[in-house]
Amino acid sequence: MTQNPASSGTKFAFSAVTTLFFMWGFITCMNDLLIPKFKTDFDLNQFQANTVQFAFFGAYFLVSLLYFLISASKGDPINKIGYQNGLVLGLVIAGIGCFMFYPAAQIYQFWLFLAALGVLGAGVTIIQIAANPYVTILGPERSGSSRLNLAQGFCSLGYVIAPFIGGILIFGSEVFEGTPVEPAVATETIGLVETLVTETEKTTLTGEDATKALEKTKAVLTDAKAKGLDMPMANELRELSMTLVEAQQEAGLATPLAEESQSKANEIIRGLQLAELDSLKAPYLGLGAAFLIIAAVFKMISLPSFTQEGKIEPGITAFKHKHFVWGWLAIFFYVGSEVTIGSILVNYLGDPSVANLPENEADKYLSFCWGGLMIGRLMGAISLGDMKESKKLPYMILAAVISTGIIYTCATFKQLLTVGEHINPMDILPFIGLIALSFIFFKLGKSSAGRMVGLFALVAAALTVFSMSTSGSYALWSILGIGLFNSIMWSNIFSLSIKGLGKDTSQGSSLLVMMIVGGALMPLAQGWLTDSYGIRASLGIVLLGYVYLVWYGFFAPKAMDTEEDITPVAAGH
């Protein structure tokens, strides 16, 4: 057996790899901002908009499947090239994916954006295949969950910051007041819609939807003439004008002038919407450059290398471990449920039956959703760590307080930029109450990784049901609280699943990362449910995921205790 690397070396390696967790957290959360933007700019329904997640997380499945097939036929690639080179390769591919956003925005093609997200997802997949097991085996096996929870906490920090920084970068000045439309274009657009209104008033439309659309169109036109037309107003006028013409056509009352006015206004506004995609160029070029710079740094620095005891041979070997199979399925349902909630959050909070929040206000709540992950993961790292029991609670409280402060700062600054006022600290008391509740469940978990998964999934399921059946602040904070109870899922499931795999660790890691495909498939199912039955009912797919995780946490990990072929992991240079 080779010798363990020096403690100082492992600490430096852990710190270096943790930066990658932050990067992929940031880039993944950016998808949650792309979905509502593409939905508006490309005039998509929810199912089509959710193909953003399908492209990104579908790449996880394809790349992991390819990795698995290579591993089964020729032996484990990571064990041949090393964890460090695997990280560099993933970073370079992720950078290329980011650079592809420029031509996609230049030619205004949604499919090319999806292709860019696929390449980006492929790079992040390779990073995850190497980084997750690397962090887990970078020290004693018993504290693997603790290290992975801590690293995932920094991943969640990326999620917290992304809605604020990414919101400003992607939506540009729209975050502040709304992107102003050039005066000549604004005048022409307003004139066309006014003609449509005049033609509509000549008809005898009596439908409630048409009447409401007509009154709303007049109100928006009044604001546009008084304050100037901006992009949110233009987008709204486009939707309203389409509603008015469709209502007239259904009643057989549409005039050629009304249809022509609507068509011309629609053409102008669609051009403006496509021009808005230019705001994606700079952020993703910057992220691409960052990935390449980090790749160069990782190529130059020295990190401890690890090898597995025993001969690395071709073959499908990870599935012979029963506890791995249950964890393999758990990753699918966990990631699918988490990504689905993040994907629909802005639209969910904007639904009139939920919170009726405008898009540029709803996106600040992404910080609370993903911030809950950060809080729970940092507390999980402490709870599952090796420190004395008497010190765990004070440190967990300190981590929760500091993290909540970061989340509140990002969210309230976003609110200040958006509507000119801070978030009242009293308004986040429900979130603080949920954090207090999590302490109880950490205590009930008794530092058992499996039991904590079951308990936290049980609370997440209860919050899902509560959000589905309530409205207003109750529905808002209950769905945000799910993020807090998602926190320890990935780290605990992953470390439980690869525990004792020995020479099968890297193959097992690729198979676990493959099941991130849940983040591609479950949002599509949710999108179809939303379009068919409404956004509340669509949460049923999330509930299904948490039901499985409850079963997994309380029962499936016990299969791990019956394994007879556990081989330890060795470390060396």
Side-chain angles (χ1 to χ4, degrees):
M1 182 180 294
T2 53
Q3 295 181 341
N4 291 327
S7 176
S8 59
T10 58
K11 288 181 180 179
F12 172 75
F14 178 79
S15 300
V17 176
T18 296
T19 62
L20 305 185
F21 281 76
F22 173 84
M23 284 294 293
W24 86 54
F26 187 95
I27 202 75
T28 303
C29 190
M30 291 284 280
N31 292 346
D32 296 334
L33 298 174
L34 291 177
I35 288 173
K37 181 171 183 61
F38 286 155
K39 188 173 186 291
T40 298
D41 291 349
F42 286 106
D43 195 22
L44 309 174
N45 60 31
Q46 192 63 53
F47 177 86
Q48 293 168 327
N50 280 4
T51 56
V52 165
Q53 302 292 26
F54 181 79
F56 185 80
F57 290 103
Y60 276 66
F61 176 77
L62 294 177
V63 173
S64 299
L65 177 61
L66 178 61
Y67 185 98
F68 169 69
L69 294 175
I70 294 174
S71 175
S73 62
K74 299 183 179 298
D76 195 295
I78 289 294
N79 274 286
K80 292 182 178 180
I81 69 172
Y83 287 101
Q84 185 170 357
N85 287 330
L87 294 174
V88 172
L89 176 62
L91 286 164
V92 170
I93 294 174
I96 293 172
C98 288
F99 287 136
M100 288 176 64
F101 270 69
Y102 187 91
Q106 190 71 20
I107 64 174
Y108 309 129
Q109 292 296 319
F110 182 55
W111 69 266
L112 189 51
F113 278 111
L114 296 181
L117 286 164
V119 175
L120 177 55
V124 174
T125 303
I126 296 173
I127 296 171
Q128 290 227 36
I129 290 174
N132 280 296
Y134 187 69
V135 167
T136 303
I137 64 180
L138 199 62
E141 187 176 66
R142 67 179 181 276
S143 57
S145 291
S146 176
R147 287 190 300 280
L148 195 50
N149 266 303
L150 182 57
Q152 288 287 341
F154 284 91
C155 174
S156 300
L157 179 62
Y159 277 93
V160 171
I161 294 175
F164 171 61
I165 297 179
I168 292 176
L169 292 176
I170 288 178
F171 294 107
S173 58
E174 185 179 331
V175 171
F176 300 89
E177 298 176 346
T179 304
V181 175
E182 185 180 336
V185 177
T187 300
E188 182 180 4
T189 303
I190 290 172
L192 289 167
V193 178
E194 283 182 323
T195 300
L196 173 60
V197 168
T198 301
E199 290 297 299
T200 303
E201 289 178 326
K202 294 177 181 179
T203 66
T204 56
L205 286 178
T206 57
E208 183 179 355
D209 290 343
T211 302
K212 287 183 178 180
L214 180 59
E215 294 304 315
K216 182 65 175 176
T217 304
K218 290 179 180 178
V220 175
L221 285 172
T222 299
D223 286 343
K225 287 190 287 187
K227 304 174 183 178
L229 183 68
D230 58 27
M231 278 307 302
M233 289 181 183
N235 292 337
E236 191 170 12
L237 285 177
R238 178 174 180 269
E239 296 297 326
L240 290 168
S241 65
M242 290 172 64
T243 300
L244 290 177
V245 170
E246 287 172 1
Q248 292 179 58
Q249 289 173 338
E250 289 175 3
L253 300 172
T255 66
L257 183 56
E259 292 178 334
E260 182 183 3
S261 299
Q262 188 276 329
S263 178
K264 288 182 178 179
N266 178 69
E267 184 177 344
I268 293 171
I269 296 170
R270 287 297 293 138
L272 293 171
Q273 289 173 335
L274 293 175
E276 286 287 281
L277 293 175
D278 283 346
S279 66
L280 295 175
K281 293 178 180 178
Y284 278 88
L285 286 176
L287 287 167
F291 274 117
L292 295 186
I293 291 171
I294 295 173
V297 171
F298 265 80
K299 186 64 177 177
M300 292 185 291
I301 63 177
S302 176
L303 296 178
S305 61
F306 291 86
T307 57
Q308 312 293 344
E309 285 189 343
K311 185 179 180 181
I312 307 301
E313 298 178 342
I316 304 173
T317 53
F319 282 126
K320 70 182 181 181
H321 305 270
K322 294 179 182 178
H323 71 281
F324 173 80
V325 176
W326 302 127
W328 189 63
L329 294 172
I331 288 290
F332 176 91
F333 284 110
Y334 160 64
V335 175
S337 298
E338 177 196 278
V339 172
T340 297
I341 291 173
S343 300
I344 70 168
L345 189 61
V346 172
N347 292 327
Y348 183 79
L349 296 180
D351 189 273
S353 67
V354 180
N356 200 29
L357 293 175
E359 190 175 281
N360 60 355
E361 286 190 44
D363 63 13
K364 69 173 178 288
Y365 286 105
L366 286 169
S367 292
F368 288 96
C369 180
W370 299 121
L373 283 171
M374 177 174 67
I375 293 172
R377 284 169 174 172
L378 294 178
M379 292 196 298
I382 297 168
S383 177
L384 296 169
D386 292 331
M387 71 172 59
K388 294 180 180 179
E389 289 295 324
S390 60
K391 293 183 177 181
K392 287 185 177 181
L393 182 60
Y395 278 102
M396 289 171 70
I397 293 174
L398 180 62
V401 170
I402 294 175
S403 299
T404 303
I406 293 172
I407 297 164
Y408 175 76
T409 300
C410 288
T412 195
F413 192 50
K414 173 70 165 60
Q415 176 86 343
L416 179 65
L417 295 177
T418 305
V419 297
E421 61 183 31
H422 289 287
I423 297 175
N424 188 334
M426 299 300 290
D427 291 342
I428 69 168
L429 285 179
F431 186 72
I432 295 173
L434 288 167
I435 295 173
L437 180 65
S438 73
F439 276 93
I440 297 175
F441 283 88
F442 270 114
K443 184 67 176 178
L444 291 174
K446 297 180 180 178
S447 300
S448 166
R451 189 183 302 115
M452 287 171 68
V453 170
L455 289 169
F456 276 50
L458 187 63
V459 178
L463 289 171
T464 302
V465 172
F466 189 72
S467 187
M468 291 172 69
S469 56
T470 57
S471 61
S473 62
Y474 292 107
L476 185 152
W477 289 109
S478 54
I479 197 169
L480 293 178
I482 295 173
L484 177 64
F485 290 93
N486 276 337
S487 56
I488 52 83
M489 297 285 190
W490 170 270
S491 306
N492 288 13
I493 295 170
F494 194 96
S495 56
L496 283 171
S497 299
I498 68 170
K499 186 176 181 180
L501 295 191
K503 62 185 178 61
D504 301 323
T505 297
S506 292
Q507 185 183 94
S509 174
S510 71
L511 288 167
L512 290 172
V513 173
M514 180 194 299
M515 295 310 277
I516 292 177
V517 72
L521 299 180
M522 287 181 66
L524 285 184
Q526 180 277 328
W528 178 80
L529 288 170
T530 295
D531 295 332
S532 302
Y533 302 102
I535 200 162
R536 285 182 179 278
S538 72
L539 287 179
I541 191 70
V542 173
L543 185 60
L544 174 65
Y546 289 125
V547 169
Y548 176 82
L549 291 170
V550 170
W551 176 84
Y552 171 81
F554 287 129
F555 302 106
K558 294 179 181 178
M560 180 181 58
D561 299 330
T562 66
E563 292 292 319
E564 299 177 354
D565 55 349
I566 291 178
T567 304
V569 176
H573 295 285

